[in-house]
């Protein structure tokens, strides 16, 4: 899931990374430049199926409504105290949970 992505290139790059790991359910929350975005295709480098099936939502709540567990990440410093989980541990945790997870 990408929340308020600003550039089509970033969406395409995320789709490419997702497909490399077998993930295909891309959810976009309020993309700045709308969807579809022609700049996403070239950056996706063959992950066209992920882009074609991407779904757009108005809110994060709508995007995760069918998810039982959600992980969030950011490079921005936050004043929140939240548990930090390494990617490998998060993947192991998601595989062990029943229901859909979102990142």
């Amino acid at each position: 899931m990408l929340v308020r992505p600003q550039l089509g290139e970033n969406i395409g790059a995320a789709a490419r990374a997702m497909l490399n790991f077998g993930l295909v359910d891309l959810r976009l929350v309020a993309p700045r430049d709308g969807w579809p975005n022609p700049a996403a295709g070239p950056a996706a480098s063959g992950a066209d199926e992920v882009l074609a099936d991407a779904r757009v939502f108005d809110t994060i709540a709508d995007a995760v409504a069918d998810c039982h567990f959600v992980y969030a990440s950011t490079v921005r410093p936050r004043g929140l105290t939240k548990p930090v989980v390494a990617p490998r541990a998060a993947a192991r945790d998601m595989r062990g949970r029943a229901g859909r997870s979102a990142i």
Side-chain angles (χ1 to χ4, degrees):
M1 174 183 330
L2 298 176
V3 178
R4 292 184 295 281
Q6 296 183 18
L7 300 173
E9 293 87 348
N10 291 345
I11 296 169
R16 179 181 181 192
M18 287 175 62
L19 192 59
N20 284 339
F21 291 95
L23 304 172
V24 295
D25 185 10
L26 176 59
R27 300 176 186 202
L28 304 172
V29 178
R32 180 188 73 182
D33 297 334
W35 188 255
N37 185 314
S45 270
D48 299 325
E49 66 187 74
V50 176
L51 295 180
D53 293 339
R55 294 182 282 162
V56 177
F57 297 86
D58 292 327
T59 67
I60 296 170
D62 291 340
V64 299
D66 66 336
C67 298
H68 296 89
F69 200 75
V70 179
Y71 284 89
S73 65
T74 183
V75 297
R76 296 180 179 103
R78 302 286 188 213
L80 303 172
T81 302
K82 297 286 181 185
V84 175
V85 181
R88 189 174 307 242
R92 191 171 35 250
D93 189 44
M94 283 186 274
R95 280 193 307 261
R97 291 182 180 274
R100 183 179 299 272
S101 293
I103 302 171

